[in-house]
Structures are given as C-alpha cells and as structure tokens.
Amino acid sequence: MSGSASSCAIVGAAESRLGVCPAGTTPYDLMAEASARALDDCGLALTDVDGVFAATTQTRFATTGLCEYLGLRPRYQDSTQIGGASSLSHIAHAAAAIRLGLCEVALIAHASTQRSIGRAAASPREPNPYETPYRPFLPVTAYALAAKRHMHQYGTTRAQLAAVAVAARKWAMLNPAAWSRDPLTIEDVLSSRMISDPLTIRDCCLVSDGGGAIVLTSVERARDLHKVPIAVAGVAEMLSHHSISSMLDLTETAAVRTGREALAQAGLALSDIDVVELYDAFTINTVMFLEDLGFCGKGEGGALVEGGAIEPGGELPVNTNGGALSYCHPGMYGLLLVIEAVRQLRGEAGARQVVPCNAALVHANGGVFSTQATAVLARLRG
Amino acid sequence: MNEPASQSPLGEFRRYLRLGQLAFQRNGDGKPVFYPRVLDPADGGPVTWAVSNGTGTVYSTTTLFDPDGSARNVALIDLDEGFRMMSRVEGVASDRVEIGMRVRFFVGSDEQGEPIALFAPVGEDRA
C-alpha cells in the first residue's frame, strides 16, 4: 500500500487526440500533446514541471523518452509499469514525492497507438512456460475464466454481463469524444462473435489510439491556478499475482483492500461517493469491482447492474465517459478514468454531468486482475 | 554463479514430464508450491520435488474460438495435492468441459513437439 495524499491536488487534466491517429504517430507525440493541453488547462508551463511520471507498453523507457521529447530534465521521475493500474500508481508516487519535497509540479502521462500498429506490436506478451503452451488469448481468456467461475459460484448470467456493456454505451451516447455511440442492446451483446466464452467481442473493451496527461501539485500552489483543484484524498495500490493461474480466487481481487484503504485515507464512506470510474476492460470487471469495492455484496454485482443502477439516471453513476467498452481504450486506461473523474468533479462533463458531484472513486486494474489501484478524488473546499 | 544448480526449476519440471510424470514442489510444511521455484514463496525456505498422482478437478474453463472458427479449450485445474495449473482438457468437446469435472493428467505435446501436461475427463482416459 502506498500512503497518501491529501496534501496534493490535480490541477490540469487532458486527453490527447483519441481513436485512430495518422500513420507514424508515436506514443510520445500523444503524451506530449496531452501534456501541453493539461498544462494549458491549469496555466502552468513545461518549465514549471520538475517531476515526470509515465508508462506505455510500447517502450521500456517511458520517462526517459518523454523527457527527451519535451526537453525536460526533472528532479524526479518514475516509469513504474504495472499495466492498467500504472497511472494511479504514478499518482500515489507523485503525491508522496510532492509531500517529501522531491518535486513540486508533477506531470503524469500515458499514451498508446495500439489501434494503428496492432495489439501484438503494441503489447508483446511475455511468454510464461506454464501457460503459453496452452495458447490462451491474453488477456481475454483470463477474464473469461474469472467470469465463468463467477457465474458458477454466484449464478451471474451472460445477460447481466451484457448489461454492463449496454450501460457503458448509454453513457457513451452522451459523450461526444466516445468512439462507439450507436445504440446497443443486451441481445446485440449476446449474439456477437464469441471470443473466449462467456465473453463476446461486445464484452471486450475497444482497441484505440490515444493518451492523456494530468498535472499535480501541492494544495497550496493549486489554489493559485485556473481550475478548481481536485484533491487526491486517498490512493492505494496492491499487487496480488502476475499470471491468472496464480490468482487464488478468481472471483475476488485486491480491490477489496485498495478500495478500503483509499476511502480510509480520505475519511470518506462509499455513501459519500457521487461518481465511480472503474476500469472496464471486460464486462466482468465492472461486476467484480462493484462487489470488491463494497457497492454491493459478493455475488450481487450481476443483479446490481441488470437493474439499470449504473446507467445514466441510475442511483450509482459508473463509467460516465462510456468506459473502455465504448469511449476509448488505448491500453493501460487508468489515466483516462482520472481525467473523467476530474471533469465530473469540476462540473465540466456536459450532457453526462452527475449532479451533485463532490467526491469520485477511481479504480484501475492491470494485467489479469493482477494489479489494483484505487483513488478517491474530491473537490477541494474553501 | 559459483554453485550452479544442475537444472533450472523449469528444466526439472520438463525432465519429469518426459518421464510421464507431473511434478510439483512442497515446502517445509508439506504445502504444495506451483509453478516450480528456487524457494518457498511463503517464507523463502527450501522446496523439494514431488510427483502428483495426476487427478484433479476443473476450477474454471473457457472455449476459445480461433480466427478460422475452430474451438479449443483452456482450463484451470486444481490437482488433488492442492496446487493449480493452466492446461487443456481433451477427449471431450470443449463446451462440455464443466467446472467441477474430475480429470486425469496425461502427457501431450505442444506445437513444437515438446511434452506438455494435458488432462482428460476421468473415465475417458486415453489408452
């Protein structure tokens, strides 16, 4: 677990171009574009940045390459790579670095061009001699095995999983930046091409180009900048396993612990949370994270989502940008979750704005339910 | 390394497989350790090799559809000794492999012809 955090705030947040980019675009192009927009968002300049945090699947030298591209020689940097939870891990590490005086203005960036160059090139798999011979489609087969087990233990149905994709689509239809905005029904999801049963192509996230960046600084400095500062009230991360065959219980993730820890740091309860942004790489993820984070009991996630509770107008707004399922998924999607939470907390979310919106819970996942990180973000008062 | 081990954990696992045996490890308390390692992940202590009796239960299963539309199985198997591994259940259509099904180990080969551990439903063992 990383400590937190409430002494720092997110002051700038922006996406790069999303979807599909011109041939030859690199992750550095997109990270730089998002970084410039995020700095513009808060009124800071590249020359103010003295801490850089970045990860991509397309380079092992993310901060090294990004700093070269941006002409930065920061006092502090961190390229922690734990898959889709990396950017939340970077927030935890940046908050600690700011608190310790190791840097004052932290830039966190992520990008991918996986749609343009293909997933095989963007995210080469590391061979595992105890799994690779069986040729699983990773990561989808791992999540399919979890979904199968969840269905077996709790009676969760494919239609309940499909309800997650339908809810995400309804939110995406309210977001002009979303990739998939055509109406989607339960039947559409169920009748789509099966990839690794019980998951069809519509139970799986998009494959997008895109990226994002956020700027963090101390609460004191944050008050002088353009936008309402969004406090990092709590943030926690945990690693539980690497390969799916080493996950102890396929129906429960380390989100049980990171969620509790992040809320405790923030001094908030689930009932204080107005909006939830969680990493829906596959429909089963949303179901399991809602359970593990405590929004319902274990095994009750299917019933929760099929009732429409997480759709626009529902009692628990979840993945208000349309999620990785319908908005955008440039791999390692955690940073785009944070950007949506910041926009909701600032009241900038347009047709999809949740009202009131004072506190948000962001949960990111990496690998095959391997790495979990939760952040609680809140509008800074007075 | 000044004192090289005669075999890597993976090399030893494969040596057992070539003999037709499914190997795993036990820690100092007799608890199973899998995949094979150079130490016990519980406390860093030593591990010793053991041979599974090869029977187990399907913990989870999925049918994958290759681009040509053909179906195949990937499953997680809980061996009776208390360790779990990924494998494939053969000898039955993949969509008939069920969680809780009893299965027995046999040695098959991968695309490179290397021996790999596979499973078949108990009662439908290969000759």
Side-chain angles (χ1 to χ4, degrees), chain A:
Chain A
M1 295 276 179
S2 291
S4 175
S6 57
S7 52
C8 103
I10 298 170
V11 292
E15 299 139 312
S16 69
R17 280 167 296 165
L18 305 177
V20 60
C21 291
T25 302
T26 70
Y28 295 123
D29 292 325
L30 296 180
M31 286 195 283
E33 183 174 281
S35 297
R37 291 178 182 178
L39 288 162
D40 222 33
D41 188 44
C42 57
L44 288 171
L46 271 176
T47 47
D48 293 309
V49 173
D50 61 355
V52 174
F53 301 73
T56 88
T57 61
Q58 288 164 248
T59 171
R60 288 168 293 156
F61 289 75
T63 52
T64 309
L66 182 61
C67 287
E68 176 187 273
Y69 192 113
L70 297 175
L72 293 175
R73 292 188 177 184
R75 287 198 288 150
Y76 196 79
Q77 64 75 39
D78 178 354
S79 284
T80 293
Q81 168 58 279
I82 55 168
S86 298
S87 295
L88 261 63
S89 177
H90 295 162
I91 290 176
H93 301 179
I98 290 167
R99 194 166 60 243
L100 291 170
L102 302 175
C103 63
E104 188 182 0
V105 175
L107 173 69
I108 301 178
H110 158 72
S112 168
T113 59
Q114 64 169 351
R115 185 171 191 89
S116 294
I117 67 168
R119 273 193 50 78
S123 302
R125 305 306 307 185
E126 297 172 28
N128 173 342
Y130 300 98
E131 293 192 348
T132 306
Y134 306 106
R135 296 186 294 132
F137 298 149
L138 290 175
V140 58
T141 291
Y143 290 92
L145 289 165
K148 226 22 178 330
R149 188 71 201 179
H150 200 277
M151 292 165 75
H152 174 77
Q153 283 185 219
Y154 301 112
T156 307
T157 66
R158 284 188 57 211
Q160 289 173 334
L161 297 178
V164 171
V166 169
R169 184 61 59 88
K170 287 181 179 174
W171 283 110
M173 290 167 75
L174 302 175
N175 181 2
W179 178 264
S180 296
R181 305 188 66 205
D182 296 332
L184 183 74
T185 66
I186 301 283
E187 185 51 38
D188 292 335
V189 179
L190 295 178
S191 62
S192 293
R193 181 165 59 91
M194 190 65 80
I195 304 294
S196 188
D197 93 296
L199 303 180
T200 72
I201 189 76
R202 293 286 161 259
D203 289 290
C204 301
C205 59
L206 301 166
V207 176
S208 318
D209 296 343
I214 60 173
V215 180
L216 275 78
T217 191
S218 64
V219 162
E220 295 72 37
R221 187 154 179 190
R223 293 186 194 282
D224 300 331
L225 299 173
H226 288 176
K227 298 288 178 68
V228 178
I230 304 302
V232 180
V235 57
E237 57 180 313
M238 177 163 279
L239 316 177
S240 61
H241 57 276
H242 188 191
S243 301
I244 196 65
S245 49
S246 292
M247 184 173 182
L248 292 179
D249 176 350
L250 264 67
T251 68
E252 184 175 298
T253 73
V256 170
R257 293 180 59 180
T258 58
R260 204 159 47 208
E261 169 72 13
L263 284 164
Q265 289 174 17
L268 294 177
L270 284 179
S271 56
D272 298 316
I273 300 297
D274 298 304
V275 66
V276 181
E277 309 294 349
L278 45 81
Y279 197 151
D280 55 341
F282 302 93
T283 51
I284 184 64
N285 298 40
T286 301
V287 170
M288 279 174 52
F289 291 144
L290 288 171
E291 296 171 354
D292 291 345
L293 294 165
F295 290 102
C296 60
K298 182 47 73 180
E300 297 170 1
L304 174 67
V305 300
E306 78 179 338
I310 66 172
E311 294 180 2
E315 65 203 39
L316 182 66
V318 172
N319 294 349
T320 51
N321 54 6
L325 290 166
S326 282
Y327 150 66
C328 183
H329 184 250
M332 295 175 47
Y333 163 75
L335 199 53
L336 296 185
L337 295 168
V338 174
I339 291 166
E340 174 65 8
V342 167
R343 291 195 174 134
Q344 287 284 348
L345 291 164
R346 287 176 177 173
E348 297 176 344
R352 64 187 191 279
Q353 180 66 48
V354 172
V355 181
C357 196
N358 295 307
L361 186 147
V362 179
H363 183 79
N365 162 73
V368 289
F369 283 134
S370 312
T371 68
Q372 305 297 325
T374 310
V376 174
L377 307 179
R379 280 179 73 91
L380 203 58
R381 290 182 185 81

